[in-house]
Amino acid sequence: IVNVWYSVNGDTRHVLTGSADNSCRLWDCETEDNEPYMKIPCNESKITSAVWGPLGEFIIAGHENGELNQFSAKSGEVLMNMKEHTKQINDIQTSRDMTMFITASKDNTAKLFDSTNLDHLKTFRTERPVNSAALSPIFDHVVLGGGQEAMDVTTTSTRIGKFEARFFHLGVEEEFGRVKGHFGPINSVAFHPDGKSYSSGGEDGYVRIHYFDPQYFEFEFEA
């Protein structure tokens, strides 16, 4: 099994998993049964990332073809679907209150959506594939991680090897900072729950933990 991901709901009673076998499965964490209580097949395009929606009533899933689906957590039926990305969705992360979520895609963008109706709210554009994106729990900030593998680059680029985490302002969709450190594409980013630091995991085999300096907080208050 490859491309496995999972997400535990808010009360930790249920866990959502998916893999390259083109299925999404729901499990009961409180039982010892090795069988899921629901299987959601995805034959047209495999699910590459998914998260629980508010109150655990539905599941938001991103697909290899760039499509987003909202599934009922009770019946498994598709409640709504839409397509704003043109390539694979690599990551989905929700806001702290779960009213919004952000997607990261191979189409060089990250996009912000409303969790309930899947309305597209914002777009954050880069020059390289975005592998992961996260929303700050305390500020209107977004951090993106990604980068293109050298084997995927057909022409010489001055940006090869520069794998920075990139920060955008949620309101104006503009980049305001970059943090270097990794020597390969960044595969995962996440804010600490208190918003005072973030971590990044890269293809270079390292997880880096970054603590924000005082200027970071002064920037937000001045903005």
Side-chain angles (χ1 to χ4, degrees):
I1 299 176
V2 294
N3 295 333
V4 179
W5 46 260
Y6 71 95
S7 177
V8 180
N9 73 334
D11 60 11
T12 68
R13 292 179 56 195
H14 302 99
V15 63
L16 165 70
T17 64
S19 82
D21 64 2
N22 284 11
S23 74
C24 173
R25 304 185 182 203
L26 296 174
W27 310 76
D28 189 331
C29 296
E30 298 179 341
T31 67
E32 295 179 3
D33 190 352
N34 290 326
E35 290 297 319
Y37 66 83
M38 185 187 298
K39 297 180 181 179
I40 302 174
C42 308
N43 297 323
E44 293 184 5
S45 179
K46 72 179 180 184
I47 295 178
T48 50
S49 186
V51 293
W52 291 92
L55 304 177
E57 296 178 347
F58 53 81
I59 297 157
I60 300 165
H63 292 257
E64 189 175 36
N65 65 359
E67 187 175 284
L68 277 171
N69 282 342
Q70 188 186 88
F71 295 96
S72 168
K74 293 182 178 180
S75 66
E77 67 176 321
V78 177
L79 302 177
M80 61 181 68
N81 62 74
M82 53 91 68
K83 188 175 181 181
E84 286 287 340
H85 286 290
T86 58
K87 294 183 180 180
Q88 176 175 308
I89 296 174
N90 293 321
D91 185 31
I92 301 177
Q93 296 191 38
T94 61
S95 60
R96 189 172 194 171
D97 61 6
M98 300 187 75
T99 59
M100 300 181 294
F101 66 92
I102 190 165
T103 57
S105 173
K106 282 187 176 181
D107 66 8
N108 299 359
T109 69
K111 294 178 182 286
L112 185 73
F113 297 88
D114 183 286
S115 296
T116 303
N117 53 29
L118 300 188
D119 281 351
H120 174 216
L121 305 174
K122 302 284 183 179
T123 298
F124 309 95
R125 304 182 187 281
T126 73
E127 310 84 31
R128 291 161 288 169
V130 184
N131 295 332
S132 186
L135 297 164
S136 169
I138 60 173
F139 293 143
D140 289 334
H141 294 172
V142 177
V143 61
L144 309 183
Q148 195 166 22
E149 293 277 15
M151 61 184 295
D152 296 328
V153 179
T154 56
T155 58
T156 301
S157 171
T158 57
R159 303 210 62 83
I160 297 174
K162 297 182 179 180
F163 304 104
E164 308 104 331
R166 304 174 66 166
F167 286 80
F168 288 76
H169 195 280
L170 193 66
V172 296
E173 304 170 76
E174 292 183 357
E175 183 178 354
F176 66 85
R178 299 186 183 189
V179 177
K180 298 180 181 180
H182 285 286
F183 298 97
I186 297 173
N187 293 331
S188 182
V189 292
F191 279 98
H192 189 281
D194 66 11
K196 296 180 181 179
S197 62
Y198 82 97
S199 60
S200 57
E203 194 73 22
D204 55 10
Y206 289 93
V207 173
R208 304 179 69 90
I209 301 174
H210 307 262
Y211 292 91
F212 297 120
D213 58 29
Q215 286 77 14
Y216 174 79
F217 301 98
E218 292 173 2
F219 167 81
E220 175 61 23
F221 292 129
E222 290 174 357

